[in-house]
């Protein structure tokens, strides 16, 4: 109540604290109006308390199931990409330029499989080159300097193919225990590549992911979020 909102005139509680009267007086004095803490209630007040218990239990169960589902997703990601650890943070880096100039790199971030919008970042390209490779190297290098000491196990997805990935791999040397790199390539129907592909270091072949799987949807949605940002 002190941090979120003032208490109502009556607070129903199923615990009997030592000095309950003192708690009444404290809340009353703190908020400038009479507050009564009710304990050992019966009838309608007991029914309200029981309903609060039921709602709290349901909310806890739902959140626990969501957390378990998110963990299973990240464990599946680590297994599919042969990562030595389960990433707490997954992010995607995209490069955009407008009419050949004003290039920016955007970073969309997912923490524990949920979007962490407060951690999104935008990098204005400082270099003179308009090469996608050089711009990606610049952004990845600057991003790595930001996060190398965070202690998070992190997967950074590069929006591009094998060539983009090979360009940025040397930048992550020395952080292989906590920072991993991969790439997501767009579908190219004109080249016979109907689906998006994910590449990992040291392999010429794409990771065999079902395009309709929850895992691929997670990766694609994060890439789309980087584009949007």
């Amino acid at each position: 109540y002190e941090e979120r909102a003032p208490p109502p005139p009556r607070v129903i509680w199923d615990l009997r604290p030592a000095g309950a009267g003192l708690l009444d007086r404290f809340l009353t004095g703190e908020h400038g109006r009479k507050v009564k803490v009710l304990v050992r209630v019966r009838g309608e007040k007991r029914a309200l308390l029981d309903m609060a218990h039921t709602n709290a239990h349901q909310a806890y169960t739902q959140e626990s199931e969501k957390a378990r589902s998110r963990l299973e997703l990240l464990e599946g990601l680590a297994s599919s990409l042969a990562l030595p650890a389960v990433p707490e943070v997954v992010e995607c880096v995209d490069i955009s330029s407008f009419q050949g100039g004003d290039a920016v790199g955007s970073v969309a971030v997912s923490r524990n499989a949920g979007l962490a919008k407060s951690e999104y970042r935008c990098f204005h390209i400082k270099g003179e080159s308009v090469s996608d490779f050089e711009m990606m190297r610049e952004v990845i290098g600057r991003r790595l300097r930001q996060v190398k000491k965070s202690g998070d196990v992190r997967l950074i997805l590069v929006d591009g193919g094998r060539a983009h990935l090979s360009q940025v791999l040397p930048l992550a040397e020395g952080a292989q225990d906590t920072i991993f790199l991969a790439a997501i390539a767009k579908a190219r129907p004109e080249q016979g590549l109907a689906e998006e592909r994910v590449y990992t270091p040291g392999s010429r072949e794409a990771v065999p992911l079902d395009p309709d799987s929850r895992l691929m949807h997670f990766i694609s949605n994060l890439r789309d979020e980087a584009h949007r940002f």
Side-chain angles (χ1 to χ4, degrees), residues 165-205:
L165 181 58
S166 66
Q167 290 287 322
V168 299
L169 276 177
L171 301 174
E173 290 180 0
Q176 293 93 336
D177 292 338
T178 56
I179 297 178
F180 314 113
L181 297 176
I184 176 170
K186 300 180 182 70
R188 303 288 185 186
E190 71 281 3
Q191 300 176 14
L193 301 170
E195 307 291 348
E196 295 177 322
R197 291 136 7 254
V198 175
Y199 293 97
T200 54
S203 176
R204 291 189 56 82
E205 300 299 323

Side-chain angles (χ1 to χ4, degrees), residues 42-102:
R42 299 177 180 177
E44 181 183 357
K45 295 182 181 64
R46 180 74 245 178
L48 288 172
L49 193 58
D50 290 342
M51 183 172 64
H53 273 293
T54 299
N55 291 343
H57 182 267
Q58 290 176 348
Y60 175 79
T61 300
Q62 290 171 358
E63 289 303 313
S64 296
E65 290 173 351
K66 289 178 183 178
R68 184 163 52 250
S69 178
R70 290 192 292 264
L71 178 59
E72 288 174 354
L73 174 66
L74 295 175
E75 288 175 340
L77 181 64
S79 175
S80 297
L81 274 57
L83 304 179
V86 177
E88 304 160 60
V89 179
V90 183
E91 52 190 52
C92 186
V93 179
D94 175 46
I95 302 294
S96 297
S97 60
F98 305 93
Q99 298 179 347
D102 299 322

